[in-house]
Coordinates of all heavy atoms in Angstrom, one line a residue:
K8 N 0.8 -1.2 0.0 CA 0.0 0.0 0.0 C 0.9 1.3 0.0 O 1.9 1.3 0.7 CB -0.9 0.0 1.2 CG -1.9 -1.1 1.3 CD -2.8 -0.9 2.5 CE -3.8 -2.0 2.5 NZ -4.7 -2.0 3.7
I9 N 0.4 2.3 -0.7 CA 1.1 3.5 -0.7 C 0.7 4.3 0.5 O -0.5 4.4 0.9 CB 0.7 4.4 -2.0 CG1 1.0 3.6 -3.3 CG2 1.4 5.7 -2.0 CD1 2.4 3.7 -3.7
N10 N 1.7 4.8 1.3 CA 1.4 5.6 2.5 C 2.3 6.8 2.6 O 3.1 7.1 1.6 CB 1.5 4.7 3.7 CG 2.9 4.0 3.8 OD1 3.9 4.6 3.4 ND2 2.9 2.9 4.4
N11 N 2.3 7.5 3.7 CA 3.2 8.6 3.9 C 4.7 8.3 3.7 O 5.4 9.1 3.1 CB 2.9 9.3 5.2 CG 1.6 9.9 5.3 OD1 1.0 10.4 4.3 ND2 1.0 10.0 6.5
N12 N 5.1 7.2 4.2 CA 6.5 6.8 4.0 C 6.8 6.6 2.6 O 7.9 7.0 2.1 CB 6.8 5.6 4.9 CG 8.3 5.3 4.9 OD1 9.1 6.2 5.2 ND2 8.6 4.1 4.6
S13 N 5.9 6.0 1.8 CA 6.1 5.8 0.4 C 6.3 7.2 -0.3 O 7.1 7.3 -1.2 CB 4.9 5.1 -0.2 OG 4.6 3.9 0.4
C14 N 5.5 8.1 0.1 CA 5.6 9.5 -0.5 C 6.9 10.1 -0.2 O 7.6 10.7 -1.0 CB 4.5 10.4 0.1 SG 2.8 9.9 -0.4
R15 N 7.4 9.9 1.0 CA 8.7 10.4 1.4 C 9.8 9.8 0.5 O 10.7 10.5 0.0 CB 9.0 10.1 2.9 CG 10.4 10.6 3.4 CD 10.6 10.2 4.8 NE 10.6 8.8 5.0 CZ 11.6 8.0 4.7 NH1 12.7 8.4 4.2 NH2 11.5 6.7 5.0
I16 N 9.8 8.5 0.3 CA 10.8 7.8 -0.5 C 10.7 8.3 -1.9 O 11.7 8.6 -2.6 CB 10.6 6.3 -0.4 CG1 11.0 5.8 1.1 CG2 11.5 5.6 -1.4 CD1 10.5 4.4 1.4
I17 N 9.5 8.3 -2.5 CA 9.3 8.7 -3.9 C 9.8 10.1 -4.1 O 10.5 10.4 -5.1 CB 7.9 8.6 -4.3 CG1 7.4 7.1 -4.4 CG2 7.6 9.2 -5.7 CD1 5.9 6.9 -4.5
S18 N 9.5 11.0 -3.2 CA 9.8 12.4 -3.3 C 11.3 12.7 -3.2 O 11.9 13.6 -3.8 CB 9.1 13.3 -2.3 OG 9.5 13.0 -1.0
R19 N 12.0 11.8 -2.5 CA 13.5 11.9 -2.4 C 14.2 11.3 -3.6 O 15.3 11.8 -4.0 CB 14.0 11.2 -1.1 CG 13.6 12.0 0.1 CD 14.2 11.4 1.3 NE 13.9 12.2 2.5 CZ 14.2 11.9 3.7 NH1 14.8 10.7 4.0 NH2 13.9 12.7 4.7
I20 N 13.6 10.3 -4.2 CA 14.3 9.6 -5.3 C 13.9 10.3 -6.6 O 14.7 10.4 -7.5 CB 13.9 8.1 -5.4 CG1 14.5 7.4 -4.1 CG2 14.4 7.5 -6.6 CD1 14.0 6.0 -4.0
C21 N 12.7 10.7 -6.8 CA 12.1 11.3 -8.0 C 12.0 12.8 -7.9 O 10.9 13.3 -8.1 CB 10.8 10.6 -8.4 SG 10.9 8.8 -8.5
T22 N 13.1 13.5 -7.8 CA 13.0 14.9 -7.5 C 12.6 15.7 -8.8 O 12.1 16.9 -8.6 CB 14.4 15.5 -7.1 OG1 15.4 15.1 -8.0 CG2 14.7 14.9 -5.7
N23 N 12.6 15.1 -9.9 CA 12.2 15.8 -11.2 C 10.8 15.3 -11.6 O 10.4 15.6 -12.7 CB 13.2 15.5 -12.3 CG 14.5 16.3 -12.0 OD1 14.5 17.5 -11.6 ND2 15.6 15.7 -12.2
L24 N 10.1 14.6 -10.7 CA 8.8 14.1 -11.0 C 7.9 15.3 -11.5 O 7.8 16.3 -10.9 CB 8.2 13.5 -9.8 CG 6.9 12.7 -9.9 CD1 7.1 11.4 -10.7 CD2 6.3 12.3 -8.6
Q25 N 7.1 15.0 -12.6 CA 6.3 16.1 -13.1 C 4.8 15.7 -13.0 O 3.9 16.6 -13.0 CB 6.6 16.4 -14.6 CG 8.0 17.0 -14.8 CD 8.3 17.2 -16.2 OE1 7.9 16.5 -17.1 NE2 9.1 18.2 -16.4
R26 N 4.5 14.4 -13.1 CA 3.1 13.9 -13.0 C 3.0 12.7 -12.1 O 3.8 11.8 -12.1 CB 2.6 13.5 -14.4 CG 2.7 14.6 -15.4 CD 2.4 14.1 -16.8 NE 2.6 15.2 -17.8 CZ 2.5 15.0 -19.0 NH1 2.3 13.9 -19.6 NH2 2.7 16.1 -19.8
I27 N 1.9 12.8 -11.3 CA 1.6 11.6 -10.5 C 0.1 11.5 -10.2 O -0.5 12.6 -10.0 CB 2.5 11.6 -9.2 CG1 2.3 10.3 -8.4 CG2 2.1 12.8 -8.3 CD1 3.4 10.0 -7.4
S28 N -0.4 10.3 -10.2 CA -1.8 10.1 -9.9 C -1.8 9.2 -8.6 O -1.3 8.1 -8.7 CB -2.5 9.4 -11.0 OG -3.9 9.1 -10.6
L29 N -2.3 9.7 -7.6 CA -2.4 9.0 -6.3 C -3.9 8.7 -6.0 O -4.2 8.5 -4.8 CB -1.7 9.8 -5.2 CG -0.2 10.0 -5.4 CD1 0.3 11.1 -4.4 CD2 0.5 8.8 -5.2
R30 N -4.7 8.8 -7.0 CA -6.1 8.7 -6.8 C -6.5 7.5 -5.9 O -6.1 6.4 -6.1 CB -6.7 8.4 -8.2 CG -8.2 8.3 -8.2 CD -8.7 8.1 -9.6 NE -10.1 7.8 -9.6 CZ -10.8 7.6 -10.7 NH1 -10.3 7.7 -11.9 NH2 -12.1 7.3 -10.6
G31 N -7.3 7.9 -4.9 CA -7.9 6.9 -4.0 C -6.9 6.3 -3.0 O -7.3 5.3 -2.3
C32 N -5.7 6.8 -2.9 CA -4.8 6.2 -1.9 C -5.2 6.7 -0.5 O -5.0 7.8 -0.1 CB -3.4 6.7 -2.2 SG -2.7 6.0 -3.7
M33 N -5.8 5.8 0.2 CA -6.5 6.1 1.5 C -5.5 6.3 2.6 O -5.8 6.8 3.7 CB -7.5 5.1 1.9 CG -8.6 4.9 0.9 SD -9.5 6.4 0.8 CE -10.8 5.9 -0.3
N34 N -4.2 5.8 2.5 CA -3.3 5.8 3.5 C -2.3 7.0 3.5 O -1.3 7.0 4.1 CB -2.5 4.5 3.5 CG -3.3 3.3 3.8 OD1 -4.2 3.3 4.7 ND2 -3.2 2.3 2.9
I35 N -2.6 8.0 2.7 CA -1.8 9.2 2.6 C -2.5 10.4 3.2 O -3.7 10.6 3.0 CB -1.5 9.5 1.1 CG1 -0.7 8.4 0.5 CG2 -0.7 10.8 1.0 CD1 -0.4 8.6 -1.0
S36 N -1.8 11.1 4.1 CA -2.4 12.3 4.7 C -1.6 13.5 4.3 O -0.8 13.5 3.4 CB -2.3 12.1 6.2 OG -0.9 12.1 6.6
N37 N -1.8 14.7 5.0 CA -1.1 15.9 4.7 C 0.4 15.7 4.7 O 1.1 16.2 3.9 CB -1.5 17.0 5.7 CG -2.9 17.6 5.4 OD1 -3.3 17.7 4.3 ND2 -3.6 17.9 6.5
E38 N 0.8 14.8 5.6 CA 2.3 14.6 5.8 C 2.9 14.1 4.5 O 3.9 14.5 4.1 CB 2.5 13.5 6.9 CG 3.9 13.1 7.1 CD 4.0 12.0 8.1 OE1 3.1 11.8 8.9 OE2 5.1 11.4 8.1
G39 N 2.2 13.1 3.8 CA 2.7 12.6 2.5 C 2.6 13.6 1.4 O 3.6 13.7 0.6
I40 N 1.6 14.4 1.4 CA 1.4 15.4 0.3 C 2.5 16.5 0.5 O 3.1 16.9 -0.5 CB 0.0 16.0 0.3 CG1 -1.0 14.9 0.0 CG2 -0.1 17.2 -0.6 CD1 -0.8 14.2 -1.3
I41 N 2.8 16.8 1.7 CA 3.8 17.9 2.0 C 5.2 17.3 1.5 O 6.0 18.1 1.1 CB 3.8 18.3 3.4 CG1 2.5 19.1 3.7 CG2 5.0 19.1 3.8 CD1 2.2 19.4 5.1
Q42 N 5.4 16.0 1.6 CA 6.7 15.5 1.1 C 6.9 15.7 -0.4 O 7.9 16.1 -0.8 CB 6.7 13.9 1.4 CG 6.8 13.6 2.8 CD 8.1 13.9 3.5 OE1 9.1 13.9 2.9 NE2 8.0 14.4 4.7
F43 N 5.8 15.6 -1.1 CA 5.8 15.9 -2.6 C 6.1 17.4 -2.8 O 6.8 17.8 -3.7 CB 4.5 15.4 -3.3 CG 4.5 14.0 -3.5 CD1 3.6 13.2 -2.8 CD2 5.4 13.4 -4.4 CE1 3.6 11.8 -3.0 CE2 5.4 12.0 -4.7 CZ 4.5 11.2 -4.0
A44 N 5.5 18.2 -2.0 CA 5.6 19.7 -2.1 C 7.1 20.1 -2.0 O 7.6 20.8 -2.8 CB 4.8 20.4 -1.1
F45 N 7.8 19.5 -1.0 CA 9.2 19.9 -0.8 C 10.1 19.1 -1.7 O 11.2 19.6 -2.1 CB 9.5 19.7 0.7 CG 9.0 20.7 1.5 CD1 7.8 20.7 2.1 CD2 9.8 21.9 1.8 CE1 7.3 21.7 2.9 CE2 9.3 22.9 2.6 CZ 8.1 22.8 3.2
G46 N 9.8 17.9 -2.0 CA 10.8 17.0 -2.8 C 10.6 17.0 -4.3 O 11.5 16.7 -5.0
C47 N 9.4 17.4 -4.8 CA 9.1 17.4 -6.2 C 8.6 18.8 -6.7 O 7.4 18.9 -7.1 CB 8.1 16.3 -6.5 SG 8.6 14.7 -5.9
P48 N 9.4 19.8 -6.6 CA 8.9 21.1 -7.0 C 8.5 21.3 -8.4 O 7.9 22.3 -8.8 CB 10.0 22.0 -6.6 CG 11.2 21.2 -6.7 CD 10.8 19.8 -6.3
N49 N 8.9 20.3 -9.3 CA 8.5 20.4 -10.7 C 7.2 19.8 -11.1 O 6.9 19.7 -12.3 CB 9.7 19.8 -11.5 CG 11.0 20.5 -11.4 OD1 11.0 21.8 -11.4 ND2 12.1 19.8 -11.2
L50 N 6.4 19.4 -10.1 CA 5.1 18.8 -10.4 C 4.3 19.7 -11.2 O 4.2 20.9 -11.0 CB 4.4 18.5 -9.1 CG 4.6 17.2 -8.4 CD1 3.8 17.1 -7.1 CD2 4.3 16.0 -9.3
E51 N 3.7 19.1 -12.3 CA 2.8 19.8 -13.2 C 1.4 19.3 -13.0 O 0.4 20.1 -13.2 CB 3.3 19.7 -14.6 CG 4.6 20.3 -14.9 CD 5.1 20.0 -16.3 OE1 4.4 19.3 -17.1 OE2 6.2 20.5 -16.6
I52 N 1.2 18.0 -12.8 CA -0.1 17.4 -12.8 C -0.1 16.5 -11.5 O 0.8 15.7 -11.3 CB -0.4 16.5 -14.0 CG1 -0.4 17.4 -15.3 CG2 -1.6 15.7 -13.9 CD1 -0.5 16.7 -16.6
L53 N -1.2 16.7 -10.7 CA -1.3 16.0 -9.5 C -2.8 15.5 -9.3 O -3.7 16.4 -9.3 CB -0.9 16.8 -8.3 CG -0.9 16.2 -6.9 CD1 -0.1 15.0 -6.8 CD2 -0.5 17.3 -5.9
N54 N -3.0 14.2 -9.3 CA -4.3 13.7 -9.1 C -4.5 13.1 -7.7 O -3.9 12.2 -7.3 CB -4.6 12.6 -10.1 CG -6.0 12.1 -10.1 OD1 -6.8 12.5 -9.3 ND2 -6.4 11.2 -11.0
L55 N -5.3 13.8 -6.9 CA -5.6 13.4 -5.5 C -7.1 13.1 -5.4 O -7.6 13.1 -4.2 CB -5.2 14.5 -4.6 CG -3.7 15.0 -4.6 CD1 -3.5 16.2 -3.7 CD2 -2.8 13.8 -4.3
K56 N -7.7 12.7 -6.4 CA -9.2 12.4 -6.4 C -9.5 11.4 -5.2 O -8.8 10.4 -5.1 CB -9.6 11.8 -7.7 CG -11.1 11.6 -7.8 CD -11.6 11.1 -9.1 CE -13.1 11.0 -9.1 NZ -13.6 10.6 -10.5
N57 N -10.5 11.7 -4.5 CA -11.1 10.9 -3.4 C -10.1 10.7 -2.2 O -10.2 9.7 -1.6 CB -11.5 9.5 -4.0 CG -12.7 9.7 -4.9 OD1 -13.5 10.5 -4.7 ND2 -12.7 8.8 -5.9
F58 N -9.3 11.6 -2.0 CA -8.4 11.6 -0.8 C -9.3 12.0 0.4 O -9.9 13.1 0.4 CB -7.2 12.5 -0.9 CG -6.0 11.9 -1.4 CD1 -6.0 11.2 -2.6 CD2 -4.8 12.0 -0.7 CE1 -4.8 10.6 -3.1 CE2 -3.7 11.4 -1.2 CZ -3.7 10.7 -2.4
L59 N -9.3 11.2 1.4 CA -10.2 11.6 2.6 C -9.4 12.1 3.7 O -9.9 12.7 4.6 CB -10.9 10.3 3.0 CG -11.8 9.6 2.0 CD1 -12.4 8.4 2.6 CD2 -12.8 10.6 1.4
N60 N -8.0 12.0 3.7 CA -7.2 12.4 4.8 C -6.3 13.6 4.6 O -5.4 13.8 5.3 CB -6.3 11.2 5.2 CG -7.1 10.0 5.7 OD1 -8.1 10.2 6.4 ND2 -6.8 8.8 5.2
I61 N -6.6 14.4 3.5 CA -5.8 15.6 3.3 C -6.8 16.8 3.5 O -8.0 16.7 3.3 CB -5.2 15.7 1.9 CG1 -6.2 15.6 0.8 CG2 -4.1 14.6 1.8 CD1 -5.6 16.0 -0.5
S62 N -6.1 17.9 3.9 CA -6.9 19.1 4.2 C -6.2 20.3 3.5 O -5.2 20.1 2.7 CB -6.9 19.4 5.7 OG -5.7 19.7 6.2
N63 N -6.6 21.5 3.8 CA -6.0 22.7 3.2 C -4.5 22.8 3.4 O -3.8 23.3 2.6 CB -6.7 23.9 3.7 CG -8.1 24.0 3.2 OD1 -8.7 23.2 2.5 ND2 -8.8 25.1 3.7
L64 N -4.1 22.3 4.6 CA -2.7 22.4 4.9 C -1.8 21.8 3.8 O -0.8 22.4 3.4 CB -2.4 21.7 6.3 CG -1.0 21.7 6.7 CD1 -0.5 23.1 7.0 CD2 -0.8 20.8 7.9
G65 N -2.1 20.5 3.4 CA -1.3 19.9 2.4 C -1.4 20.6 1.0 O -0.3 20.7 0.4
I66 N -2.5 21.0 0.7 CA -2.7 21.7 -0.6 C -2.0 23.1 -0.6 O -1.4 23.5 -1.6 CB -4.2 21.9 -0.9 CG1 -4.9 20.5 -1.0 CG2 -4.4 22.6 -2.2 CD1 -4.2 19.5 -1.9
Q67 N -2.0 23.8 0.5 CA -1.3 25.0 0.6 C 0.2 24.9 0.4 O 0.8 25.7 -0.3 CB -1.6 25.7 1.9 CG -3.0 26.3 2.0 CD -3.3 26.7 3.4 OE1 -2.8 26.3 4.4 NE2 -4.3 27.6 3.5
E68 N 0.8 23.8 0.9 CA 2.2 23.6 0.6 C 2.5 23.2 -0.8 O 3.5 23.7 -1.4 CB 2.7 22.5 1.6 CG 2.8 22.9 3.0 CD 3.8 24.1 3.2 OE1 4.8 24.2 2.5 OE2 3.4 25.0 4.0
I69 N 1.6 22.5 -1.4 CA 1.7 22.2 -2.9 C 1.7 23.5 -3.6 O 2.5 23.7 -4.5 CB 0.6 21.2 -3.4 CG1 0.9 19.8 -2.8 CG2 0.5 21.2 -4.9 CD1 2.0 19.0 -3.4
A70 N 0.8 24.3 -3.3 CA 0.6 25.6 -4.0 C 1.9 26.5 -3.8 O 2.3 27.2 -4.7 CB -0.6 26.4 -3.6
R71 N 2.4 26.5 -2.6 CA 3.6 27.3 -2.3 C 4.9 26.8 -3.0 O 5.7 27.6 -3.4 CB 3.9 27.3 -0.8 CG 3.0 28.2 0.0 CD 3.4 28.3 1.4 NE 2.4 29.0 2.2 CZ 1.6 28.4 3.1 NH1 1.8 27.1 3.4 NH2 0.7 29.0 3.7
K72 N 5.0 25.5 -3.1 CA 6.3 25.0 -3.6 C 6.3 24.5 -5.1 O 7.4 24.5 -5.7 CB 6.7 23.8 -2.7 CG 6.8 24.1 -1.3 CD 8.0 24.9 -1.0 CE 8.2 25.2 0.5 NZ 9.2 26.1 0.8
C73 N 5.1 24.1 -5.6 CA 5.1 23.6 -7.0 C 4.6 24.6 -7.9 O 3.4 24.6 -8.3 CB 4.2 22.3 -7.0 SG 4.8 21.0 -5.8
H74 N 5.5 25.5 -8.4 CA 5.1 26.6 -9.2 C 4.8 26.2 -10.6 O 4.2 27.1 -11.3 CB 6.3 27.6 -9.2 CG 6.6 28.2 -7.9 ND1 5.8 29.1 -7.2 CD2 7.6 27.9 -7.0 CE1 6.3 29.3 -6.0 NE2 7.4 28.6 -5.9
N75 N 5.1 25.0 -11.1 CA 4.8 24.6 -12.4 C 3.4 23.8 -12.5 O 3.0 23.4 -13.6 CB 5.9 23.7 -12.9 CG 7.2 24.4 -13.1 OD1 7.2 25.6 -13.3 ND2 8.3 23.7 -12.9
L76 N 2.8 23.7 -11.4 CA 1.5 23.0 -11.3 C 0.5 23.6 -12.2 O 0.1 24.8 -12.1 CB 1.0 22.9 -9.9 CG -0.1 21.9 -9.6 CD1 0.5 20.5 -9.7 CD2 -0.6 22.1 -8.2
T77 N -0.1 22.8 -13.2 CA -1.1 23.3 -14.1 C -2.4 22.6 -13.9 O -3.5 23.1 -14.3 CB -0.7 23.2 -15.5 OG1 -0.4 21.8 -15.8 CG2 0.6 24.0 -15.9
F78 N -2.4 21.5 -13.2 CA -3.6 20.7 -13.0 C -3.5 20.0 -11.7 O -2.5 19.3 -11.4 CB -3.9 19.7 -14.1 CG -5.1 18.8 -13.9 CD1 -6.3 19.3 -14.2 CD2 -5.0 17.6 -13.4 CE1 -7.5 18.5 -14.0 CE2 -6.1 16.8 -13.2 CZ -7.3 17.3 -13.5
I79 N -4.6 20.1 -10.9 CA -4.7 19.3 -9.6 C -6.2 18.8 -9.5 O -7.1 19.7 -9.7 CB -4.2 20.1 -8.4 CG1 -4.2 19.2 -7.2 CG2 -5.0 21.3 -8.2 CD1 -3.5 19.8 -6.0
N80 N -6.4 17.6 -9.3 CA -7.7 17.0 -9.1 C -8.0 16.8 -7.7 O -7.3 16.0 -7.0 CB -7.9 15.7 -9.9 CG -9.3 15.2 -9.9 OD1 -10.1 15.7 -9.2 ND2 -9.5 14.1 -10.7
L81 N -8.9 17.6 -7.1 CA -9.3 17.5 -5.7 C -10.7 17.0 -5.5 O -11.2 17.1 -4.4 CB -9.1 18.8 -5.0 CG -7.7 19.4 -5.0 CD1 -7.6 20.8 -4.5 CD2 -6.7 18.5 -4.2
S82 N -11.3 16.5 -6.6 CA -12.7 16.1 -6.5 C -12.8 14.9 -5.5 O -12.0 14.0 -5.4 CB -13.3 15.7 -7.8 OG -12.6 14.6 -8.4
G83 N -13.8 15.0 -4.6 CA -14.0 14.0 -3.6 C -13.1 14.1 -2.4 O -13.2 13.3 -1.4
C84 N -12.3 15.2 -2.3 CA -11.5 15.5 -1.1 C -12.4 16.3 -0.1 O -12.4 17.5 -0.2 CB -10.2 16.2 -1.5 SG -9.1 15.3 -2.6
I85 N -13.0 15.6 0.8 CA -14.1 16.2 1.6 C -13.5 17.2 2.6 O -14.3 18.0 3.1 CB -14.9 15.1 2.2 CG1 -14.1 14.2 3.1 CG2 -15.7 14.3 1.2 CD1 -14.9 13.2 3.9
K86 N -12.2 17.1 3.0 CA -11.7 18.0 4.0 C -11.1 19.3 3.4 O -10.7 20.2 4.1 CB -10.7 17.3 4.8 CG -11.2 16.2 5.7 CD -10.1 15.6 6.5 CE -10.7 14.4 7.3 NZ -9.7 13.8 8.1
I87 N -11.2 19.4 2.1 CA -10.7 20.6 1.4 C -11.8 21.7 1.4 O -12.9 21.4 1.0 CB -10.2 20.3 0.0 CG1 -9.1 19.2 -0.1 CG2 -9.7 21.6 -0.7 CD1 -7.8 19.6 0.5
T88 N -11.5 22.9 1.8 CA -12.4 24.0 1.8 C -11.9 25.1 0.9 O -10.7 25.0 0.4 CB -12.7 24.5 3.2 OG1 -11.4 25.0 3.7 CG2 -13.2 23.4 4.1
D89 N -12.6 26.1 0.8 CA -12.1 27.3 0.0 C -10.9 27.8 0.7 O -10.9 28.1 1.9 CB -13.2 28.4 -0.1 CG -14.3 28.0 -1.0 OD1 -14.2 27.1 -1.8 OD2 -15.4 28.6 -0.9
L90 N -9.9 28.0 0.0 CA -8.6 28.5 0.6 C -8.8 30.0 0.7 O -8.4 30.9 0.7 CB -7.4 28.1 -0.2 CG -7.2 26.6 -0.3 CD1 -6.1 26.3 -1.2 CD2 -6.9 26.0 1.1

């Protein structure tokens, strides 16, 4: 299963990652998303559809660090509110 530790490892190894779909990964929280924000600043496309354990905190870090982001799917992310 993909979890926060998996995100930490991926973000350290794949620092030039541009696209990732983590759709429906239930074991990832803000902690894991923040790993991608700091480790993969070149992200352009991020699919987080149906994430139940992330909130504005994780998305704010992605917005701050991933300046090349052109698409993010947050549909079904019930803890995300208007920033």
